[in-house]
Amino acid sequence: MSADKDGISGTSHDNLAKDVSSLRQDMAKMQEILSKFVSEAGGQAARTARNVGHTVASQVGSTASGLASTGSDMAASATQQLKTFTNELEDIARKNPLGALAGALVIGVVIGLIARGR
């Protein structure tokens, strides 16, 4: 009877050793798969971040270019309006020199009063 127990326990021990070995192999495979998954996920995240960075940089560049263009257009428009205003003042001064002198005198007095009030 003790031989049967030794035979059975030996077989159980061998089966247990095989199961443990199989479990270790499965755990090693799972670890390898998980490592590959994490590596690929990290690479994908890096690619996504890079693409987002390029997109944002492109949009910022486009916006900056648009703002610069708009600013340039506004400056050109303001310069043109200033030239037009200056030309009209010159025409008024040529047509009515005494009125231009009186206007300049009034503007000078107003500026003097404002400056003295401070």
Side-chain angles (χ1 to χ4, degrees), residues 58-115:
S58 173
Q59 289 177 351
V60 167
S62 296
T63 301
S65 176
L67 288 174
S69 176
T70 301
S72 176
D73 291 345
M74 289 176 65
S77 176
T79 302
Q80 185 61 37
Q81 288 178 354
L82 184 62
K83 286 180 182 177
T84 302
F85 180 69
T86 303
N87 287 338
E88 289 198 26
L89 282 179
E90 285 179 11
D91 287 344
I92 291 171
R94 285 188 182 134
K95 290 179 185 174
N96 189 0
L98 291 178
L101 285 173
L105 178 66
V106 169
I107 291 172
V109 169
V110 170
I111 290 173
L113 290 173
I114 290 172

Side-chain angles (χ1 to χ4, degrees), residues 14-28:
D14 288 343
N15 287 340
L16 182 61
K18 288 179 184 178
D19 289 345
V20 169
S21 176
S22 175
L23 185 59
R24 283 184 181 156
Q25 289 174 354
D26 290 346
M27 290 295 287

